[in-house]
PDB file of all heavy atoms in Angstrom:
ATOM      1  N   ASP A 536       3.072  59.342-126.823  1.00  0.00           N
ATOM      2  CA  ASP A 536       2.253  60.552-126.585  1.00  0.00           C
ATOM      3  C   ASP A 536       1.570  60.908-127.919  1.00  0.00           C
ATOM      4  O   ASP A 536       2.281  61.280-128.854  1.00  0.00           O
ATOM      5  CB  ASP A 536       3.096  61.733-126.084  1.00  0.00           C
ATOM      6  CG  ASP A 536       2.292  62.991-125.817  1.00  0.00           C
ATOM      7  OD1 ASP A 536       1.131  63.029-126.287  1.00  0.00           O
ATOM      8  OD2 ASP A 536       2.801  63.910-125.113  1.00  0.00           O
ATOM      9  N   SER A 537       0.256  60.703-128.007  1.00  0.00           N
ATOM     10  CA  SER A 537      -0.396  60.840-129.297  1.00  0.00           C
ATOM     11  C   SER A 537      -1.311  62.056-129.336  1.00  0.00           C
ATOM     12  O   SER A 537      -2.224  62.174-130.186  1.00  0.00           O
ATOM     13  CB  SER A 537      -1.234  59.594-129.639  1.00  0.00           C
ATOM     14  OG  SER A 537      -2.308  59.420-128.727  1.00  0.00           O
ATOM     15  N   ASN A 538      -1.147  63.032-128.449  1.00  0.00           N
ATOM     16  CA  ASN A 538      -1.895  64.261-128.510  1.00  0.00           C
ATOM     17  C   ASN A 538      -1.672  65.062-129.764  1.00  0.00           C
ATOM     18  O   ASN A 538      -2.564  65.766-130.271  1.00  0.00           O
ATOM     19  CB  ASN A 538      -1.646  65.044-127.288  1.00  0.00           C
ATOM     20  CG  ASN A 538      -2.443  64.520-126.079  1.00  0.00           C
ATOM     21  OD1 ASN A 538      -3.609  64.552-125.997  1.00  0.00           O
ATOM     22  ND2 ASN A 538      -1.631  64.004-125.098  1.00  0.00           N
ATOM     23  N   ASP A 539      -0.417  64.962-130.255  1.00  0.00           N
ATOM     24  CA  ASP A 539      -0.074  65.600-131.496  1.00  0.00           C
ATOM     25  C   ASP A 539       0.051  64.470-132.509  1.00  0.00           C
ATOM     26  O   ASP A 539       1.048  63.717-132.479  1.00  0.00           O
ATOM     27  CB  ASP A 539       1.260  66.390-131.401  1.00  0.00           C
ATOM     28  CG  ASP A 539       1.572  67.193-132.727  1.00  0.00           C
ATOM     29  OD1 ASP A 539       1.363  66.571-133.808  1.00  0.00           O
ATOM     30  OD2 ASP A 539       2.140  68.238-132.596  1.00  0.00           O
ATOM     31  N   LYS A 540      -0.899  64.295-133.406  1.00  0.00           N
ATOM     32  CA  LYS A 540      -0.987  63.098-134.289  1.00  0.00           C
ATOM     33  C   LYS A 540       0.297  63.033-135.173  1.00  0.00           C
ATOM     34  O   LYS A 540       0.910  61.967-135.325  1.00  0.00           O
ATOM     35  CB  LYS A 540      -2.182  63.128-135.155  1.00  0.00           C
ATOM     36  CG  LYS A 540      -3.491  62.817-134.435  1.00  0.00           C
ATOM     37  CD  LYS A 540      -4.629  62.799-135.426  1.00  0.00           C
ATOM     38  CE  LYS A 540      -5.975  62.404-134.791  1.00  0.00           C
ATOM     39  NZ  LYS A 540      -7.017  62.351-135.758  1.00  0.00           N
ATOM     40  N   LYS A 541       0.735  64.128-135.738  1.00  0.00           N
ATOM     41  CA  LYS A 541       1.888  64.071-136.692  1.00  0.00           C
ATOM     42  C   LYS A 541       3.101  63.714-135.976  1.00  0.00           C
ATOM     43  O   LYS A 541       3.890  62.903-136.456  1.00  0.00           O
ATOM     44  CB  LYS A 541       2.002  65.433-137.382  1.00  0.00           C
ATOM     45  CG  LYS A 541       0.816  65.723-138.346  1.00  0.00           C
ATOM     46  CD  LYS A 541       1.000  67.049-139.116  1.00  0.00           C
ATOM     47  CE  LYS A 541      -0.122  67.281-140.129  1.00  0.00           C
ATOM     48  NZ  LYS A 541       0.085  68.610-140.822  1.00  0.00           N
ATOM     49  N   ARG A 542       3.380  64.335-134.843  1.00  0.00           N
ATOM     50  CA  ARG A 542       4.547  64.026-134.070  1.00  0.00           C
ATOM     51  C   ARG A 542       4.560  62.550-133.613  1.00  0.00           C
ATOM     52  O   ARG A 542       5.557  61.897-133.589  1.00  0.00           O
ATOM     53  CB  ARG A 542       4.786  64.968-132.930  1.00  0.00           C
ATOM     54  CG  ARG A 542       5.334  66.352-133.393  1.00  0.00           C
ATOM     55  CD  ARG A 542       5.812  67.152-132.129  1.00  0.00           C
ATOM     56  NE  ARG A 542       6.574  68.296-132.530  1.00  0.00           N
ATOM     57  CZ  ARG A 542       6.094  69.471-132.807  1.00  0.00           C
ATOM     58  NH1 ARG A 542       4.788  69.700-132.746  1.00  0.00           N
ATOM     59  NH2 ARG A 542       6.871  70.482-133.215  1.00  0.00           N
ATOM     60  N   ALA A 543       3.348  62.162-133.175  1.00  0.00           N
ATOM     61  CA  ALA A 543       3.242  60.747-132.727  1.00  0.00           C
ATOM     62  C   ALA A 543       3.604  59.740-133.763  1.00  0.00           C
ATOM     63  O   ALA A 543       4.359  58.781-133.538  1.00  0.00           O
ATOM     64  CB  ALA A 543       1.782  60.500-132.222  1.00  0.00           C
ATOM     65  N   ARG A 544       3.126  59.987-135.052  1.00  0.00           N
ATOM     66  CA  ARG A 544       3.471  59.051-136.174  1.00  0.00           C
ATOM     67  C   ARG A 544       4.973  59.040-136.416  1.00  0.00           C
ATOM     68  O   ARG A 544       5.543  57.996-136.589  1.00  0.00           O
ATOM     69  CB  ARG A 544       2.713  59.490-137.403  1.00  0.00           C
ATOM     70  CG  ARG A 544       1.249  59.370-137.301  1.00  0.00           C
ATOM     71  CD  ARG A 544       0.499  60.139-138.423  1.00  0.00           C
ATOM     72  NE  ARG A 544      -0.957  60.215-138.167  1.00  0.00           N
ATOM     73  CZ  ARG A 544      -1.752  61.055-138.864  1.00  0.00           C
ATOM     74  NH1 ARG A 544      -1.264  61.853-139.768  1.00  0.00           N
ATOM     75  NH2 ARG A 544      -2.991  61.063-138.570  1.00  0.00           N
ATOM     76  N   LEU A 545       5.577  60.248-136.466  1.00  0.00           N
ATOM     77  CA  LEU A 545       7.030  60.309-136.763  1.00  0.00           C
ATOM     78  C   LEU A 545       7.790  59.672-135.636  1.00  0.00           C
ATOM     79  O   LEU A 545       8.799  58.877-135.878  1.00  0.00           O
ATOM     80  CB  LEU A 545       7.453  61.736-136.940  1.00  0.00           C
ATOM     81  CG  LEU A 545       6.824  62.531-138.143  1.00  0.00           C
ATOM     82  CD1 LEU A 545       7.306  63.972-138.130  1.00  0.00           C
ATOM     83  CD2 LEU A 545       7.072  61.810-139.419  1.00  0.00           C
ATOM     84  N   ASN A 546       7.474  59.986-134.386  1.00  0.00           N
ATOM     85  CA  ASN A 546       8.193  59.385-133.248  1.00  0.00           C
ATOM     86  C   ASN A 546       8.037  57.863-133.192  1.00  0.00           C
ATOM     87  O   ASN A 546       9.008  57.120-132.930  1.00  0.00           O
ATOM     88  CB  ASN A 546       7.672  59.996-131.944  1.00  0.00           C
ATOM     89  CG  ASN A 546       8.117  61.447-131.787  1.00  0.00           C
ATOM     90  OD1 ASN A 546       9.156  61.897-132.285  1.00  0.00           O
ATOM     91  ND2 ASN A 546       7.302  62.184-131.108  1.00  0.00           N
ATOM     92  N   LEU A 547       6.828  57.363-133.476  1.00  0.00           N
ATOM     93  CA  LEU A 547       6.603  55.947-133.388  1.00  0.00           C
ATOM     94  C   LEU A 547       7.367  55.188-134.504  1.00  0.00           C
ATOM     95  O   LEU A 547       8.020  54.188-134.241  1.00  0.00           O
ATOM     96  CB  LEU A 547       5.110  55.652-133.526  1.00  0.00           C
ATOM     97  CG  LEU A 547       4.674  54.199-133.194  1.00  0.00           C
ATOM     98  CD1 LEU A 547       3.263  54.241-132.612  1.00  0.00           C
ATOM     99  CD2 LEU A 547       4.728  53.287-134.422  1.00  0.00           C
ATOM    100  N   ILE A 548       7.242  55.684-135.752  1.00  0.00           N
ATOM    101  CA  ILE A 548       7.968  55.044-136.827  1.00  0.00           C
ATOM    102  C   ILE A 548       9.495  55.069-136.624  1.00  0.00           C
ATOM    103  O   ILE A 548      10.142  54.044-136.851  1.00  0.00           O
ATOM    104  CB  ILE A 548       7.583  55.673-138.192  1.00  0.00           C
ATOM    105  CG1 ILE A 548       6.122  55.508-138.460  1.00  0.00           C
ATOM    106  CG2 ILE A 548       8.386  55.038-139.324  1.00  0.00           C
ATOM    107  CD1 ILE A 548       5.647  56.224-139.677  1.00  0.00           C
ATOM    108  N   SER A 549       9.995  56.100-136.143  1.00  0.00           N
ATOM    109  CA  SER A 549      11.372  56.267-135.882  1.00  0.00           C
ATOM    110  C   SER A 549      11.822  55.193-134.790  1.00  0.00           C
ATOM    111  O   SER A 549      12.802  54.583-134.939  1.00  0.00           O
ATOM    112  CB  SER A 549      11.751  57.679-135.355  1.00  0.00           C
ATOM    113  OG  SER A 549      13.084  57.791-134.966  1.00  0.00           O
ATOM    114  N   HIS A 550      11.035  55.104-133.774  1.00  0.00           N
ATOM    115  CA  HIS A 550      11.306  54.102-132.684  1.00  0.00           C
ATOM    116  C   HIS A 550      11.228  52.761-133.225  1.00  0.00           C
ATOM    117  O   HIS A 550      12.125  51.881-132.930  1.00  0.00           O
ATOM    118  CB  HIS A 550      10.341  54.364-131.575  1.00  0.00           C
ATOM    119  CG  HIS A 550      10.566  53.425-130.412  1.00  0.00           C
ATOM    120  ND1 HIS A 550      10.042  52.146-130.380  1.00  0.00           N
ATOM    121  CD2 HIS A 550      11.299  53.542-129.262  1.00  0.00           C
ATOM    122  CE1 HIS A 550      10.381  51.569-129.219  1.00  0.00           C
ATOM    123  NE2 HIS A 550      11.137  52.378-128.570  1.00  0.00           N
ATOM    124  N   LEU A 551      10.191  52.446-133.997  1.00  0.00           N
ATOM    125  CA  LEU A 551       9.975  51.101-134.595  1.00  0.00           C
ATOM    126  C   LEU A 551      11.197  50.651-135.391  1.00  0.00           C
ATOM    127  O   LEU A 551      11.673  49.529-135.199  1.00  0.00           O
ATOM    128  CB  LEU A 551       8.738  51.073-135.416  1.00  0.00           C
ATOM    129  CG  LEU A 551       8.197  49.842-136.075  1.00  0.00           C
ATOM    130  CD1 LEU A 551       6.680  50.038-136.362  1.00  0.00           C
ATOM    131  CD2 LEU A 551       8.924  49.470-137.338  1.00  0.00           C
ATOM    132  N   LEU A 552      11.709  51.591-136.233  1.00  0.00           N
ATOM    133  CA  LEU A 552      12.819  51.159-137.033  1.00  0.00           C
ATOM    134  C   LEU A 552      14.109  50.862-136.215  1.00  0.00           C
ATOM    135  O   LEU A 552      14.892  49.947-136.578  1.00  0.00           O
ATOM    136  CB  LEU A 552      13.169  52.341-138.036  1.00  0.00           C
ATOM    137  CG  LEU A 552      12.138  52.590-139.148  1.00  0.00           C
ATOM    138  CD1 LEU A 552      12.320  53.896-139.775  1.00  0.00           C
ATOM    139  CD2 LEU A 552      12.214  51.444-140.174  1.00  0.00           C
ATOM    140  N   LYS A 553      14.204  51.471-135.115  1.00  0.00           N
ATOM    141  CA  LYS A 553      15.362  51.254-134.267  1.00  0.00           C
ATOM    142  C   LYS A 553      15.360  49.983-133.531  1.00  0.00           C
ATOM    143  O   LYS A 553      16.321  49.464-132.903  1.00  0.00           O
ATOM    144  CB  LYS A 553      15.586  52.387-133.300  1.00  0.00           C
ATOM    145  CG  LYS A 553      16.002  53.719-133.960  1.00  0.00           C
ATOM    146  CD  LYS A 553      16.146  54.856-132.932  1.00  0.00           C
ATOM    147  CE  LYS A 553      16.553  56.174-133.640  1.00  0.00           C
ATOM    148  NZ  LYS A 553      16.608  57.256-132.655  1.00  0.00           N
ATOM    149  N   GLN A 554      14.104  49.379-133.407  1.00  0.00           N
ATOM    150  CA  GLN A 554      13.938  48.083-132.677  1.00  0.00           C
ATOM    151  C   GLN A 554      14.281  46.849-133.574  1.00  0.00           C
ATOM    152  O   GLN A 554      14.334  45.806-132.968  1.00  0.00           O
ATOM    153  CB  GLN A 554      12.474  47.982-132.180  1.00  0.00           C
ATOM    154  CG  GLN A 554      11.984  49.189-131.405  1.00  0.00           C
ATOM    155  CD  GLN A 554      12.950  49.619-130.350  1.00  0.00           C
ATOM    156  OE1 GLN A 554      13.353  48.857-129.408  1.00  0.00           O
ATOM    157  NE2 GLN A 554      13.347  50.936-130.409  1.00  0.00           N
ATOM    158  N   ILE A 555      14.490  47.113-134.817  1.00  0.00           N
ATOM    159  CA  ILE A 555      14.670  45.907-135.726  1.00  0.00           C
ATOM    160  C   ILE A 555      16.095  46.070-136.407  1.00  0.00           C
ATOM    161  O   ILE A 555      16.399  47.094-136.994  1.00  0.00           O
ATOM    162  CB  ILE A 555      13.557  45.952-136.832  1.00  0.00           C
ATOM    163  CG1 ILE A 555      12.185  45.889-136.167  1.00  0.00           C
ATOM    164  CG2 ILE A 555      13.717  44.773-137.777  1.00  0.00           C
ATOM    165  CD1 ILE A 555      11.072  46.148-137.135  1.00  0.00           C
ATOM    166  N   PRO A 556      16.833  45.010-136.269  1.00  0.00           N
ATOM    167  CA  PRO A 556      18.271  45.127-136.833  1.00  0.00           C
ATOM    168  C   PRO A 556      18.316  44.865-138.383  1.00  0.00           C
ATOM    169  O   PRO A 556      19.049  44.060-138.809  1.00  0.00           O
ATOM    170  CB  PRO A 556      18.923  43.934-136.060  1.00  0.00           C
ATOM    171  CG  PRO A 556      17.883  42.880-135.919  1.00  0.00           C
ATOM    172  CD  PRO A 556      16.601  43.715-135.663  1.00  0.00           C
ATOM    173  N   TYR A 557      17.576  45.654-139.082  1.00  0.00           N
ATOM    174  CA  TYR A 557      17.591  45.523-140.546  1.00  0.00           C
ATOM    175  C   TYR A 557      18.731  46.191-141.158  1.00  0.00           C
ATOM    176  O   TYR A 557      19.387  47.034-140.624  1.00  0.00           O
ATOM    177  CB  TYR A 557      16.292  46.085-141.121  1.00  0.00           C
ATOM    178  CG  TYR A 557      16.151  47.591-141.133  1.00  0.00           C
ATOM    179  CD1 TYR A 557      16.461  48.305-142.326  1.00  0.00           C
ATOM    180  CD2 TYR A 557      15.779  48.276-139.982  1.00  0.00           C
ATOM    181  CE1 TYR A 557      16.417  49.718-142.290  1.00  0.00           C
ATOM    182  CE2 TYR A 557      15.671  49.669-140.002  1.00  0.00           C
ATOM    183  CZ  TYR A 557      15.978  50.379-141.153  1.00  0.00           C
ATOM    184  OH  TYR A 557      15.940  51.731-141.085  1.00  0.00           O
ATOM    185  N   GLU A 558      19.050  45.783-142.374  1.00  0.00           N
ATOM    186  CA  GLU A 558      20.135  46.318-143.173  1.00  0.00           C
ATOM    187  C   GLU A 558      19.602  46.791-144.473  1.00  0.00           C
ATOM    188  O   GLU A 558      18.667  46.236-145.062  1.00  0.00           O
ATOM    189  CB  GLU A 558      21.239  45.335-143.339  1.00  0.00           C
ATOM    190  CG  GLU A 558      21.906  44.864-142.032  1.00  0.00           C
ATOM    191  CD  GLU A 558      22.883  43.702-142.341  1.00  0.00           C
ATOM    192  OE1 GLU A 558      23.121  43.348-143.543  1.00  0.00           O
ATOM    193  OE2 GLU A 558      23.530  43.237-141.337  1.00  0.00           O
ATOM    194  N   HIS A 559      20.257  47.808-145.075  1.00  0.00           N
ATOM    195  CA  HIS A 559      19.972  48.226-146.423  1.00  0.00           C
ATOM    196  C   HIS A 559      20.600  47.260-147.433  1.00  0.00           C
ATOM    197  O   HIS A 559      21.776  47.074-147.479  1.00  0.00           O
ATOM    198  CB  HIS A 559      20.500  49.620-146.696  1.00  0.00           C
ATOM    199  CG  HIS A 559      19.663  50.729-146.084  1.00  0.00           C
ATOM    200  ND1 HIS A 559      18.926  51.552-146.882  1.00  0.00           N
ATOM    201  CD2 HIS A 559      19.494  51.062-144.835  1.00  0.00           C
ATOM    202  CE1 HIS A 559      18.261  52.381-146.044  1.00  0.00           C
ATOM    203  NE2 HIS A 559      18.596  52.150-144.774  1.00  0.00           N
ATOM    204  N   LEU A 560      19.790  46.543-148.161  1.00  0.00           N
ATOM    205  CA  LEU A 560      20.271  45.592-149.098  1.00  0.00           C
ATOM    206  C   LEU A 560      20.446  46.226-150.493  1.00  0.00           C
ATOM    207  O   LEU A 560      19.658  47.077-150.904  1.00  0.00           O
ATOM    208  CB  LEU A 560      19.290  44.422-149.196  1.00  0.00           C
ATOM    209  CG  LEU A 560      18.983  43.698-147.885  1.00  0.00           C
ATOM    210  CD1 LEU A 560      18.007  42.596-148.127  1.00  0.00           C
ATOM    211  CD2 LEU A 560      20.242  43.142-147.243  1.00  0.00           C
ATOM    212  N   PRO A 561      21.447  45.775-151.253  1.00  0.00           N
ATOM    213  CA  PRO A 561      21.643  46.332-152.623  1.00  0.00           C
ATOM    214  C   PRO A 561      20.486  45.926-153.546  1.00  0.00           C
ATOM    215  O   PRO A 561      19.946  44.829-153.442  1.00  0.00           O
ATOM    216  CB  PRO A 561      22.952  45.672-153.011  1.00  0.00           C
ATOM    217  CG  PRO A 561      23.065  44.408-152.212  1.00  0.00           C
ATOM    218  CD  PRO A 561      22.558  44.724-150.902  1.00  0.00           C
ATOM    219  N   ARG A 562      20.057  46.865-154.321  1.00  0.00           N
ATOM    220  CA  ARG A 562      18.954  46.647-155.256  1.00  0.00           C
ATOM    221  C   ARG A 562      19.512  46.467-156.635  1.00  0.00           C
ATOM    222  O   ARG A 562      20.420  47.121-157.097  1.00  0.00           O
ATOM    223  CB  ARG A 562      18.009  47.788-155.223  1.00  0.00           C
ATOM    224  CG  ARG A 562      17.217  47.925-153.923  1.00  0.00           C
ATOM    225  CD  ARG A 562      16.034  48.829-154.058  1.00  0.00           C
ATOM    226  NE  ARG A 562      15.213  48.845-152.908  1.00  0.00           N
ATOM    227  CZ  ARG A 562      13.993  49.305-152.852  1.00  0.00           C
ATOM    228  NH1 ARG A 562      13.491  49.792-153.974  1.00  0.00           N
ATOM    229  NH2 ARG A 562      13.259  49.359-151.751  1.00  0.00           N
ATOM    230  N   LYS A 563      18.880  45.578-157.368  1.00  0.00           N
ATOM    231  CA  LYS A 563      19.274  45.325-158.771  1.00  0.00           C
ATOM    232  C   LYS A 563      18.884  46.550-159.631  1.00  0.00           C
ATOM    233  O   LYS A 563      17.796  47.082-159.407  1.00  0.00           O
ATOM    234  CB  LYS A 563      18.618  44.045-159.353  1.00  0.00           C
ATOM    235  CG  LYS A 563      19.085  42.760-158.609  1.00  0.00           C
ATOM    236  CD  LYS A 563      18.406  41.533-159.205  1.00  0.00           C
ATOM    237  CE  LYS A 563      18.845  40.268-158.563  1.00  0.00           C
ATOM    238  NZ  LYS A 563      18.153  39.080-159.138  1.00  0.00           N
ATOM    239  N   THR A 564      19.661  46.822-160.561  1.00  0.00           N
ATOM    240  CA  THR A 564      19.294  47.932-161.515  1.00  0.00           C
ATOM    241  C   THR A 564      18.126  47.404-162.433  1.00  0.00           C
ATOM    242  O   THR A 564      18.219  46.384-163.016  1.00  0.00           O
ATOM    243  CB  THR A 564      20.543  48.307-162.371  1.00  0.00           C
ATOM    244  OG1 THR A 564      21.622  48.666-161.532  1.00  0.00           O
ATOM    245  CG2 THR A 564      20.183  49.440-163.345  1.00  0.00           C
TER     246      THR A 564
END
């Protein structure tokens, strides 16, 4: 539902992240 642009962006990105089984990798200092 993109009638509210800001909510649409947040909802879509949140959904997108849940579709991919990524992990937080340790970063070098």
Side-chain angles (χ1 to χ4, degrees):
D536 181 343
S537 67
N538 282 293
D539 184 323
K540 287 184 177 181
K541 290 182 178 179
R542 282 193 167 90
R544 292 167 192 165
L545 298 179
N546 289 330
L547 190 151
I548 297 173
S549 176
H550 181 274
L551 185 158
L552 290 166
K553 291 179 180 178
Q554 308 312 303
I555 304 171
Y557 72 98
E558 299 176 356
H559 283 251
L560 302 179
R562 292 195 173 195
K563 295 180 180 179
T564 302

